[in-house]
Structure formats: structure tokens, C-alpha cells
Amino acid sequence: MAYLVKRFGPAHIEQIEDAIQDTLLKAVKTWSFNDTPEHPSAWIFRASSNRLIDILRRDAKSNSFDEHYFSHDEQHNSSESKDEVLMDEEL
């Protein structure tokens, strides 16, 4: 965990924990049917790092979509309310 925190920063501690947990679960499932890799710790470091990158990319896309969608929705709602105010003043 310290390796990933050092590499990606403590701001991503929650995602780092998720990536490590996912990787360890995958290792248990895979290694119970197949042989353990020659360097299991290296496998865990690499797989955890790759999983974390996937999680960070997914979160970035999700945040980008949310920001775009909700800012567009707020702009749309505020323009509607301006139109309504103008209509009320005209009556």
C-alpha cells in the first residue's frame, strides 16, 4: 500500500485500498486454480497499480460527465427561470 500511496499520492487512499482489495481477491481466485507466479509480490504490485489506474480513469470520466451534465442542467434550469420571470413581469 505504501508503494501505491507514494506513487499516486495520499489523496487517492480510498481508491488505492479498493485496487489492492480487488487485486488480492483476483489473486486468491486465480492462484487457487493455477500455480502461484514466480514473483507473487511483483505480480500484486503490478496488478494493483494497473487496477488503480483503471479506477482513477473511471472516476475521472465519471466526474467529467457529472460536471458537464449537471452544469448544463443547472444552466438550462436557470435560463428557464429567467424566462418565467420575464413572463411574470409582462403580465
Side-chain angles (χ1 to χ4, degrees):
M1 185 163 170
Y3 166 77
L4 294 175
V5 171
K6 183 177 179 183
R7 183 170 176 209
F8 292 97
H12 303 291
I13 194 80
E14 201 170 303
Q15 292 94 340
I16 291 169
E17 289 173 345
D18 291 342
I20 292 171
Q21 183 178 11
D22 292 349
T23 302
L24 292 175
L25 285 172
K26 184 176 182 180
V28 168
K29 290 177 183 177
T30 303
W31 297 349
S32 64
F33 294 108
N34 300 325
D35 290 336
T36 309
E38 189 174 331
H39 303 286
S41 60
W43 186 93
I44 290 172
F45 283 134
R46 174 58 65 191
S48 294
S49 179
N50 290 344
R51 180 65 183 131
L52 179 58
I53 291 169
D54 291 344
I55 290 170
L56 293 175
R57 284 180 183 157
R58 181 197 65 209
D59 289 352
K61 285 182 182 179
S62 176
N63 290 340
S64 175
F65 175 79
D66 288 348
E67 288 173 5
H68 173 68
Y69 177 76
F70 289 120
S71 67
H72 176 71
D73 192 41
E74 289 172 3
Q75 290 173 353
H76 181 70
N77 288 341
S78 66
S79 66
E80 284 181 359
S81 63
K82 287 178 185 174
D83 292 341
E84 291 174 5
V85 171
L86 291 175
M87 290 172 38
D88 289 341
E89 289 175 357
E90 292 176 350
L91 292 174

